[in-house]
C-alpha cells in the first residue's frame, strides 16, 4: 500500500509541476504576443488623423427574412454617407441615394474622390440581370443594364468601368462560357467597350500606375492578368493560377490571394502573391495551408489574414510580418482604407454572424457599424482604396 | 425545374413595390396564366400542406419511384459509386430528403400555392399555383416542359396541381444533373455532400456558382439564411443550400453540419481541354472557405440503408415519417466500403503550415493538471494520516 501511495504522490506532484510549467509557458507565449501587438500598435502610425475628417460610404438594406425565417421582399438599398470627425469618431450619417434591387439581390459599389458613388445592383435573378447606377448629388441615374450580378465597378481615368455580358449556350454537364465585356462610361454616360471575350469571368482587378486596366481573365484554358490600355489595346498577359481574388494595387505591384499549382498527392498552400507591374515577375509574399488569406496592399505593405499566433481557432490580420492592431476573429478581411491610411473598414467573419467595423488604425479601436440588424456592404472611402 | 421563385419571380413584384418606404417588406406571389405569358398551363386552386405533411412528402419523394408510385412520373436510374471504393453501378433514383428540403425552401419557401400579388391583373384572385414569369410552377419551380407548345413525358397539369407530383418531377432534373457532372467523393446518392456538383448544375453550371469566383465573399462562413439572406449572392447556390441544411428555417428539418469540398480541388480553368466539372475528393471542409476545421460527410436522415443494385430499394421501410428529431445528434455514418471520417469537434482546427506545431495546452488544461495533482496528493496525505 505504501508503494501505491508513493506512486500516487509522485504522480500528483508531477501533475502539479507539469500544470505549473504549462501555465507559465502559455503566459509567456501570451505575453510575447501581447508585447508584439503592443509594439506594433505603437509603431503603426501609418497616417495622421489629427485635424482631418474623412467620409465613407455604405450600402444599407433591411434584412429580408422575417421572424419566422420566411422570405420577404426588400427591393431597394440606401446609399449612405458617413462623416468621420477629426477626432476619429463617426459624426453623422445621411442617405444620399436609393437604388432599386431585386429581393435578395446583391448590391456593390465604389466611390470616386469627389464622393460620386457607382452601384451595381441586380434587378433580375440572373447572372447579367444587374444595372449600373450613378448616385450623385441626390440624383440616381441608371447608366446601363446587363451588368454582372455581384460585381463591383471601378472608377479611374475619369470614367466608371463595369463588367457586362450575356449568358453563353448551356451544354449539359459543362461549365458555361459567357460573352463578356468590360465597358467604360464617361461623365456624360457615353459607353465604350474596352475589352471583350468568351470567358468564365472578366474581373476588374484595378488599374496600374499608368491608369491602364488590370483584368483578371478566366477561361477554360487558363487565367491571366491582362493589362489593357484605356483605349482598349491589350498590352500584356501575365498568366496566373485560376484561384485569384482580393486584388489591390499598391504602387507598382498588384497584390492578390491565389493558390499554388497542385501536384498529385501533394497539398499545396494558399498564397498571397504580388505581380510586379513593371518587370512582370510574381512573388509569393505569404502561404497558408488551410485557408485563403485575404490580402490588402497599401502604403508599401501587404496586409493579409493569417493564422493567429495566440489562438489556433482564430485568424488575425497581419501587416507585413507582424500582427496588425485589429481584433482576432474566425476570419478577418480588410475591405477599404482611406487615402491617408488612417481609417479602415474591416469585416470580421464569425459563425454567429459577421461584423463590419470602422477602425482607427492609430490604435483608437474598432467601432461596430452593423448592430442594428441592417445589412451593410462597403462602398469605400472617398478617394481611398477598396479591395476588388 | 428551375430555381428562382424566392428571387426571380419577385422581380416583377419588385417594380410594383419600389414605392414602398425604406425597410418596408411585403410577401410576394407571382401567378402567371397562359393568357398573359408563355406558360402552358393554367394555375389551379389548392391548399398548401402543413409542415408535417410537407416532411412526409419530401421523404416519399426522396425514396424515388418505388416510394412515390403513381404520385409522380417515371424516372431513370442513377449512378452510384465512383470506385472510391464503391464500384460504379446503376441504382433506382433516390435522393436525400435533406437536399429536397433545402431546394424547395430556396425555390418557393415550401409553397405550391399562394394568393397572387403579381402580375397586377391577377391581384385579388384566390389562392392558386405559384407560376413565375419564366413559367416555374409550384414548390419545385418546374420550368422544363411547362412552356406553351412543349410536350414533356410527364403530366403538366399534375405539376401545377399536385405537390408530390411537382416535387417528384423536379427530382428528374436533379437526377439528370447528377448524371452529367463528375463524382464528388465516392458519388453515393444517399450522401448529402455528394450532391455538391448536382446542386451547382441544378442552378446552371455557371462561373457565378464557382466557389473560386472572386465576387464571392472572402472567408465566408457557412451560409445562414437568418443572417445572410440579404447578401446571399456572396455565396454560391450550392453553398446556400448546404447552409440551409445546417440552419433549418423555423426548425422545419433536422440540422446537419455538412462538409464542403476543398476549393483548391475545384478548377475549371487550369488548362483543361474540357469545361466539365472534374471529379473532386471527398468533402472535408467545415465551411465553404475553411478547411482548417474538418467535417465528415453525412448520409441522408431519410434513407435507412444504401441502395445496392438496380432492383429495389433495400429497407425503404426505414424512411422516416414526419417526426424529424431536431435534437438528435448530427450523425456521421458508415457506408459499404468503409466508414466516413470521424467528425471532429467544430472548434478543432488543424495545425497548418510546415511548422507542424503541437498546439499549446490552454489555461484550462494546465489548471486541470494542477487541480488533479493536488487532489491526488491530498488523497495520499489523508490515507497516511488515517493509517498512522
Amino acid at each position: 500500500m505504501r508503494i501505491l501511495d508513493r506512486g500516487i504522490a509522485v504522480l500528483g506532484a508531477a501533475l502539479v509541476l507539469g500544470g505549473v510549467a504549462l501555465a507559465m509557458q502559455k503566459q509567456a507565449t501570451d505575453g510575447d504576443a501581447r508585447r508584439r501587438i503592443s509594439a506594433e500598435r505603437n509603431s503603426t502610425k501609418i497616417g495622421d488623423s489629427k485635424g482631418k475628417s474623412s467620409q465613407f460610404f455604405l450600402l444599407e438594406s433591411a434584412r429580408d427574412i422575417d421572424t419566422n425565417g420566411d422570405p420577404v421582399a426588400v427591393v431597394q438599398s440606401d446609399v449612405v454617407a458617413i462623416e468621420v470627425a477629426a477626432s476619429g469618431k463617426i459624426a453623422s450619417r445621411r442617405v444620399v441615394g436609393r437604388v432599386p434591387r431585386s429581393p435578395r439581390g446583391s448590391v456593390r459599389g465604389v466611390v470616386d474622390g469627389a464622393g460620386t458613388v457607382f452601384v451595381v445592383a441586380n434587378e433580375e435573378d440572373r447572372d447579367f440581370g444587374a444595372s449600373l447606377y450613378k448616385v450623385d448629388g441626390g440624383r440616381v441615374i441608371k447608366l446601363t443594364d446587363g451588368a454582372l450580378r455581384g460585381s463591383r465597378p471601378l472608377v479611374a481615368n475619369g470614367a466608371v468601368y463595369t463588367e457586362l455580358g450575356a449568358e453563353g449556350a448551356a451544354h449539359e454537364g459543362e461549365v458555361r462560357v459567357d460573352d463578356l465585356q468590360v465597358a467604360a462610361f464617361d461623365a456624360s454616360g457615353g459607353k465604350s467597350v474596352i475589352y471583350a471575350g468568351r470567358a468564365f469571368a472578366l474581373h476588374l482587378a484595378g488599374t496600374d500606375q499608368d491608369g491602364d486596366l488590370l483584368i483578371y481573365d478566366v477561361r477554360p484554358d487558363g487565367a491571366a492578368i491582362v493589362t489593357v490600355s484605356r483605349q482598349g489595346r491589350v498590352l500584356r498577359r501575365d498568366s496566373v493560377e485560376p484561384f485569384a481574388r482580393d486584388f489591390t494595387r499598391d504602387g507598382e505591384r498588384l497584390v492578390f490571394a491565389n493558390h499554388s499549382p497542385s501536384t498529385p498527392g501533394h497539398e499545396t498552400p494558399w498564397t498571397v502573391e504580388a505581380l510586379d507591374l513593371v518587370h512582370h515577375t510574381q512573388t509569393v509574399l505569404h502561404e497558408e495551408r488551410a485557408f485563403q488569406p485575404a490580402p490588402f496592399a497599401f502604403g508599401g505593405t501587404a496586409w493579409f489574414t493569417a493564422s493567429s499566433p495566440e489562438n489556433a481557432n482564430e485568424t488575425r490580420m497581419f501587416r507585413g510580418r507582424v500582427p496588425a492592431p485589429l481584433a482576432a476573429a474566425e476570419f478577418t478581411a480588410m475591405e477599404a482604407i482611406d487615402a491617408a491610411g488612417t481609417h479602415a473598414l474591416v469585416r470580421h467573419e464569425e459563425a454567429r454572424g459577421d461584423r463590419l467595423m470602422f477602425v482607427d488604425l492609430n490604435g483608437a479601436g474598432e467601432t461596430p457599424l452593423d448592430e442594428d440588424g441592417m445589412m451593410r456592404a462597403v462602398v469605400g472611402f472617398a478617394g481611398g482604396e477598396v479591395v476588388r | 425545374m428551375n430555381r428562382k421563385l424566392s428571387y426571380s419571380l419577385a422581380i416583377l413584384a419588385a417594380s410594383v413595390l419600389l414605392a414602398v418606404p425604406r425597410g418596408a417588406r411585403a410577401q410576394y406571389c407571382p401567378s402567371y396564366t397562359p393568357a398573359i405569358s408563355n406558360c402552358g398551363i393554367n394555375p389551379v386552386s389548392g391548399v398548401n400542406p402543413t409542415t408535417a405533411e410537407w416532411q412526409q412528402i419530401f421523404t416519399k419523394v426522396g425514396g424515388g419511384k418505388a416510394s412515390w408510385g403513381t404520385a409522380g412520373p417515371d424516372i431513370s436510374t442513377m449512378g452510384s459509386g465512383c470506385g472510391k471504393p464503391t464500384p460504379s453501378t446503376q441504382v433506382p433514383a433516390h435522393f436525400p430528403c435533406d437536399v429536397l428540403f433545402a431546394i424547395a425552401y430556396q425555390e418557393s419557401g415550401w409553397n405550391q400555392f399562394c394568393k397572387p400579388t403579381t402580375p397586377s391583373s391577377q391581384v385579388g384572385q384566390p389562392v392558386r399555383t405559384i407560376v413565375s414569369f419564366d413559367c416555374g410552377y409550384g414548390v419545385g419551380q418546374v420550368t422544363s416542359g411547362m412552356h406553351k407548345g412543349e410536350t414533356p413525358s410527364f403530366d403538366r397539369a399534375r405539376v401545377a396541381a399536385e405537390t408530390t407530383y411537382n416535387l417528384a418531377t423536379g427530382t428528374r432534373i436533379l437526377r439528370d444533373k447528377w448524371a452529367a457532372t463528375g463524382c464528388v467523393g465516392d458519388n453515393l446518392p444517399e450522401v448529402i455532400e455528394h450532391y455538391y456538383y448536382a446542386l451547382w448544375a441544378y442552378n446552371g453550371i455557371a462561373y457565378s456558382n464557382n466557389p473560386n469566383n472572386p465576387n464571392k465573399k472572402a472567408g465566408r462562413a457557412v451560409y445562414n439564411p437568418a443572417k445572410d439572406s440579404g447578401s446571399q449572392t456572396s455565396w454560391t447556390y450550392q453553398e446556400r443550400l448546404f447552409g440551409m441544411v445546417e440552419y433549418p428555417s423555423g426548425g422545419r428539418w433536422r440540422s446537419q453540419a455538412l462538409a464542403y469540398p476543398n476549393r483548391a480541388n475545384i478548377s475549371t480553368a487550369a488548362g483543361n481541354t474540357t469545361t466539365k466539372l472534374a471529379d473532386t475528393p471527398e468533402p472535408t471542409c467545415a465551411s465553404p472557405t475553411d478547411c482548417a476545421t474538418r467535417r465528415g460527410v453525412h448520409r441522408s436522415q431519410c434513407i435507412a440503408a444504401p441502395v445496392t443494385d438496380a432492383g429495389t430499394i433495400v429497407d425503404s421501410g426505414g424512411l422516416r415519417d414526419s417526426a424529424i428529431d431536431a435534437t438528435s445528434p448530427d450523425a456521421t455514418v458508415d457506408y459499404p466500403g468503409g466508414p466516413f471520417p470521424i467528425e471532429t469537434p467544430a472548434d478543432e482546427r488543424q495545425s497548418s503550415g510546415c511548422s507542424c506545431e503541437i498546439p499549446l495546452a490552454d489555461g484550462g488544461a494546465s489548471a486541470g493538471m494542477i487541480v488533479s495533482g493536488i487532489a491526488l496528493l491530498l488523497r495520499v496525505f489523508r490515507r497516511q494520516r488515517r493509517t498512522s
Side-chain angles (χ1 to χ4, degrees):
Chain A
M1 186 59 77
R2 196 171 291 168
I3 292 172
L4 179 62
D5 283 349
R6 208 173 289 167
I8 293 172
V10 168
L11 178 61
L15 281 170
V16 171
L17 288 172
V20 170
L22 270 178
M24 287 172 67
Q25 186 182 5
K26 176 163 172 41
Q27 199 171 21
T29 307
D30 289 350
D32 286 349
R34 274 194 293 271
R35 276 191 293 280
R36 278 203 307 275
I37 295 166
S38 173
E40 174 61 12
R41 274 182 202 280
N42 293 336
S43 65
T44 308
K45 297 290 184 189
I46 61 172
D48 179 8
S49 62
K50 287 197 175 76
K52 292 180 183 171
S53 62
S54 62
Q55 186 182 43
F56 66 90
F57 293 82
L58 301 173
L59 287 157
E60 291 186 351
S61 316
R63 288 195 186 270
D64 50 8
I65 197 159
D66 66 17
T67 51
N68 295 323
D70 291 322
V72 289
V74 175
V75 294
Q76 58 197 24
S77 295
D78 289 346
V79 182
V80 179
I82 297 177
E83 304 289 338
V84 181
S87 65
K89 302 286 185 195
I90 292 174
S92 66
R93 64 186 299 284
R94 63 194 165 91
V95 176
V96 297
R98 188 165 288 164
V99 293
R101 61 166 207 164
S102 64
R104 299 191 179 187
S106 65
V107 283
R108 293 187 81 189
V110 69
V111 58
D112 68 11
T116 302
V117 174
F118 297 90
V119 178
V120 168
N122 75 299
E123 297 185 272
E124 294 181 22
D125 182 35
R126 55 188 180 87
D127 279 348
F128 301 100
S131 299
L132 173 65
Y133 292 93
K134 177 182 179 180
V135 181
D136 187 20
R139 290 195 311 152
V140 178
I141 303 161
K142 182 191 267 194
L143 296 178
T144 186
D145 51 19
L148 175 63
R149 168 171 58 182
S151 62
R152 190 197 290 281
L154 168 74
V155 286
N157 310 321
V160 57
Y161 299 87
T162 195
E163 301 161 37
L164 306 174
E167 292 184 5
H171 300 289
E172 189 71 287
E174 297 189 17
V175 182
R176 200 184 68 215
V177 180
D178 294 326
D179 297 308
L180 304 175
Q181 296 179 343
V182 170
F185 292 84
D186 62 23
S188 66
K191 173 187 170 184
S192 54
V193 175
I194 303 299
Y195 185 68
R198 297 198 69 242
F200 291 142
L202 299 180
H203 180 81
L204 285 162
T207 56
D208 69 10
Q209 61 279 15
D210 299 321
D212 296 323
L213 264 69
L214 301 169
I215 298 169
Y216 175 48
D217 182 334
V218 192
R219 301 179 188 229
D221 59 355
I225 302 294
V226 183
T227 306
V228 182
S229 75
R230 62 191 77 179
Q231 291 78 28
R233 192 159 59 90
V234 174
L235 303 174
R236 188 172 179 88
R237 284 180 185 273
D238 293 290
S239 293
V240 295
E241 290 295 310
F243 301 93
R245 58 169 300 134
D246 302 328
F247 301 90
T248 42
R249 199 262 297 177
D250 182 28
E252 295 177 343
R253 62 180 184 166
L254 181 71
V255 174
F256 50 93
N258 209 338
H259 190 268
S260 294
S262 298
T263 54
H266 177 60
E267 200 171 322
T268 52
W270 295 99
T271 53
V272 175
E273 299 181 14
L275 170 64
D276 186 316
L277 298 170
V278 176
H279 303 99
H280 298 279
T281 54
Q282 291 174 42
T283 309
V284 173
L285 304 177
H286 179 72
E287 292 184 351
E288 285 282 339
R289 289 273 159 194
F291 62 89
Q292 192 169 26
F296 194 107
F298 183 84
T301 306
W303 303 61
F304 54 83
T305 318
S307 299
S308 169
E310 300 91 38
N311 183 344
N313 291 323
E314 292 183 328
T315 65
R316 179 174 282 286
M317 182 65 72
F318 276 64
R319 178 173 169 257
R321 292 284 156 197
V322 293
L326 299 170
E330 289 180 25
F331 192 85
T332 300
M334 179 171 284
E335 298 211 356
I337 195 164
D338 68 4
T342 306
H343 301 118
L345 297 169
V346 171
R347 187 174 294 279
H348 295 305
E349 294 286 335
E350 306 276 5
R352 64 178 183 275
D354 55 343
R355 292 170 297 143
L356 179 62
M357 314 295 280
F358 169 72
V359 181
D360 183 337
L361 292 172
N362 283 336
E366 303 182 26
T367 306
L369 292 171
D370 52 3
E371 300 209 319
D372 55 2
M374 297 287 283
M375 300 290 302
R376 288 185 171 83
V378 167
V379 173
F381 291 88
E385 297 292 333
V386 65
V387 70
R388 311 199 54 82
Chain B
M1 171 120 105
N2 208 333
R3 315 147 249 244
K4 11 197 152 168
L5 170 74
S6 335
Y7 327 110
S8 69
L9 312 185
I11 285 142
L12 294 178
S15 59
V16 176
L17 293 168
L18 279 176
V20 175
R22 174 177 180 268
R25 298 152 177 233
Q27 298 290 345
Y28 48 87
C29 170
S31 189
Y32 286 78
T33 65
I36 55 172
S37 70
N38 190 37
C39 307
I41 298 293
N42 267 312
V44 297
S45 298
V47 178
N48 285 311
T50 64
T51 297
E53 289 166 344
W54 271 123
Q55 287 164 340
Q56 290 177 327
I57 290 169
F58 289 123
T59 302
K60 178 186 283 186
V61 172
K65 183 67 179 173
S67 173
W68 72 56
T70 57
D74 291 337
I75 185 168
S76 303
T77 58
M78 66 196 295
S80 176
C82 199
K84 302 172 184 175
T86 310
S88 177
T89 56
Q90 286 292 311
V91 299
H94 60 295
F95 310 92
C97 60
D98 325 70
V99 168
L100 304 183
F101 293 156
I103 292 175
Y105 200 77
Q106 169 78 11
E107 299 294 341
S108 65
W110 286 20
N111 287 299
Q112 173 82 3
F113 309 102
C114 63
K115 190 167 178 54
T117 60
T118 193
S120 56
S121 63
Q122 304 303 309
V123 174
Q125 296 293 314
V127 171
R128 66 190 202 191
T129 314
I130 298 169
V131 185
S132 64
F133 75 95
D134 61 352
C135 308
Y137 279 73
V139 61
Q141 284 296 286
V142 176
T143 54
S144 302
M146 298 304 288
H147 302 92
K148 284 177 182 169
E150 293 179 333
T151 55
S153 60
F154 53 80
D155 187 335
R156 302 203 302 174
R158 293 183 72 185
V159 169
E162 300 174 26
T163 51
T164 303
Y165 195 96
N166 181 295
L167 201 61
T169 305
T171 63
R172 286 169 42 127
I173 308 297
L174 187 60
R175 179 255 161 228
D176 291 347
K177 302 305 180 188
W178 174 274
T181 48
C183 295
V184 177
D186 203 17
N187 216 43
L188 298 174
E190 48 276 354
V191 175
I192 303 169
E193 285 89 344
H194 291 179
Y195 283 82
Y196 185 89
Y197 276 168
L199 293 173
W200 179 347
Y202 190 82
N203 189 241
I205 314 182
Y207 191 74
S208 53
N209 285 324
N210 188 319
N212 292 305
N213 185 327
N215 285 326
K216 304 303 174 188
K217 193 161 60 165
R220 57 195 181 278
V222 173
Y223 175 75
N224 179 350
K227 64 182 182 59
D228 298 323
S229 65
S231 57
Q232 64 164 342
T233 51
S234 294
W235 284 260
T236 68
Y237 180 82
Q238 67 275 18
E239 288 169 358
R240 294 200 298 272
L241 294 186
F242 272 36
M244 287 180 175
V245 172
E246 184 161 346
Y247 295 103
S249 178
R252 288 173 168 89
W253 57 90
R254 195 187 73 178
S255 167
Q256 300 202 82
L258 301 185
Y260 293 75
N262 189 336
R263 288 179 302 144
N265 296 320
I266 299 176
S267 171
T268 53
N272 298 333
T273 53
T274 172
T275 56
K276 284 189 180 300
L277 291 172
D279 293 359
T280 194
E282 196 75 81
T284 58
C285 301
S287 85
T289 59
D290 176 13
C291 295
T293 314
R294 303 285 177 145
R295 287 177 173 179
V297 295
H298 299 72
R299 206 176 76 186
S300 171
Q301 60 186 290
C302 309
I303 301 174
V307 175
T308 55
D309 57 40
T312 56
I313 294 177
V314 176
D315 195 17
S316 61
L319 296 171
R320 290 189 184 186
D321 287 334
S322 58
I324 304 296
D325 181 6
T327 60
S328 65
D330 189 6
T332 299
V333 298
D334 293 348
Y335 70 101
F340 291 119
I342 302 297
E343 187 161 358
T344 51
D347 59 352
E348 188 175 318
R349 189 175 284 265
Q350 205 182 44
S351 177
S352 62
C354 56
S355 56
C356 302
E357 292 175 335
I358 298 170
L360 286 173
D362 62 14
S366 55
M369 288 175 72
I370 293 169
V371 169
S372 305
I374 290 172
L376 283 172
L377 288 171
L378 284 174
R379 179 188 156 95
V380 171
F381 290 146
R382 257 205 308 265
R383 282 166 60 96
Q384 282 183 342
R385 216 182 306 155
R386 242 184 271 138
T387 52
S388 64

